[in-house]
Amino acid sequence: MARLAKAGGEAWAWHNIEPLLDELDGGGSGPGIIKVSTHARHLGIVEAFVGAAASAGLARRQGIRDKAQEEVAYPFYNIDTRGRRCSAATGFLKGARKRPNLSVETAVRVDRIVFDGGRAHALLAERHGHRLGFSARREIILCAGALESPQILQRSGIGSRAVLDAAGTPVVCEREGVGRNLREHFLLGLNFQVKSSRDSENREYAGLSLGRNLARSSLTRKVLIEQS
C-alpha cells in the first residue's frame, strides 16, 4: 500500500482506504453495503487444516479481510445471512433504481468516449448489434474495471502513442501509463486427493445432489454455504 500511495497520492494510503473498505463490507463486525459472511459450517478436513496452521504459529483470525499478513482464517464471501449472493447490483443498484434521475441500461457494451476538443461529451456503445449513443451535459465517469477501463480509454484515443498508432486510433490524449503494469492478483491454489467423499463438496455437483442444488438455487436464490 505504501507504493500505491507513493504512485497515486496520499488518498491511496491504507489508513485512508481501510474505512472505505469497512463501509463496503461492514468491517467484519456488522452489515455493510455488500453483505458478507463466512460459511456457516466447515468440512472437517478444513477445520483440521486451519487448526494445524494455527498450531504451526500462524495467528488465527475470524476472517481474512485486512492487508497482507501471515495469518490463517476462513475467507468472507459475498453471501448474506440468508444464503443469497450479494452482487454489486444488489448492493448498490437495488436501492437506487427508484431514483428519478437514474436510468439503468443493460446488455450495453461501451465502445469509446467521444471528445469535443478536450472535453468528453458522449459515449458510443452497442446493444444486440445496434449502435447506441449517450450524451453527457456534465461529466462521464468511467468505471469498467481494471481490464475494460484502459481498453475503453485506448479505443477513445487516450494512451500510449505507440499502441494507438499500431491500432490505427487517432490520439486524443497521450498517456503512456494507460494499460501498463497490469498485474493479476496473487493466488496459489493447492489440490489434494481426499480419501473420503465427506471431506469434499464435489459430491454436491454431480448426480442427484447437483439436481437438488440447481432446484434450490432456482427457487430460493440461495447458494450452497454449509459444506465448504
Side-chain angles (χ1 to χ4, degrees):
M1 297 301 292
R3 287 187 296 174
L4 185 60
K6 183 178 179 180
E10 184 64 17
W12 291 98
W14 176 251
H15 62 270
N16 289 322
I17 294 294
E18 186 177 19
L20 302 178
L21 298 177
D22 288 344
E23 185 178 354
L24 280 177
D25 64 13
S29 60
I33 298 173
I34 301 297
K35 309 303 185 227
V36 298
S37 66
T38 58
H39 287 303
R41 293 184 298 177
H42 303 280
L43 297 169
I45 194 172
V46 178
E47 293 276 11
F49 180 90
V50 172
S55 298
L58 291 179
R60 183 165 183 169
R61 306 296 186 190
Q62 291 298 111
I64 296 176
R65 52 169 299 276
D66 291 330
K67 54 186 176 181
Q69 301 178 53
E70 292 186 355
E71 58 187 25
V72 61
Y74 298 109
F76 285 111
Y77 294 89
N78 290 5
I79 302 172
D80 63 23
T81 55
R82 297 178 300 169
R84 297 183 178 181
R85 191 174 301 281
C86 183
S87 65
T90 303
F92 292 96
L93 288 181
K94 187 175 181 180
R97 291 181 70 103
K98 297 180 181 179
R99 294 180 183 177
N101 62 341
L102 174 66
S103 176
V104 179
E105 301 285 343
T106 60
V108 175
R109 178 185 178 274
V110 175
D111 179 25
R112 61 189 177 91
I113 304 167
V114 181
F115 290 87
D116 182 7
R119 178 181 178 274
H121 73 96
L123 290 176
L124 293 183
E126 180 181 296
R127 177 163 53 196
H128 304 312
H130 300 287
R131 301 289 292 176
L132 299 173
F134 301 92
S135 60
R137 287 180 293 180
R138 294 188 178 181
E139 62 181 347
I140 295 173
I141 300 175
L142 178 59
C143 185
L147 299 180
E148 292 292 337
S149 292
Q151 284 186 353
I152 294 172
L153 288 174
Q154 289 173 339
R155 289 198 298 265
S156 305
I158 301 175
S160 165
R161 180 175 293 276
V163 172
L164 299 179
D165 287 346
T169 302
V171 178
V172 173
C173 181
E174 187 173 357
R175 287 291 183 269
E176 292 294 327
V178 174
R180 282 192 172 184
N181 300 321
L182 288 177
R183 296 286 191 276
E184 179 59 286
H185 59 278
F186 292 109
L187 180 65
L188 174 63
L190 301 177
N191 297 317
F192 298 91
Q193 184 176 2
V194 297
K195 294 181 179 180
S196 173
S197 63
R198 291 177 297 178
D199 288 330
S200 170
E201 63 178 18
N202 288 346
R203 66 187 185 280
E204 299 293 338
Y205 308 122
L208 294 177
S209 295
L210 175 60
R212 182 175 64 251
N213 288 323
L214 287 173
R216 185 197 62 251
S217 177
S218 299
L219 295 174
T220 68
R221 311 307 301 170
K222 292 184 179 181
V223 297
L224 181 66
I225 63 171
E226 299 87 9
Q227 302 296 328
S228 297

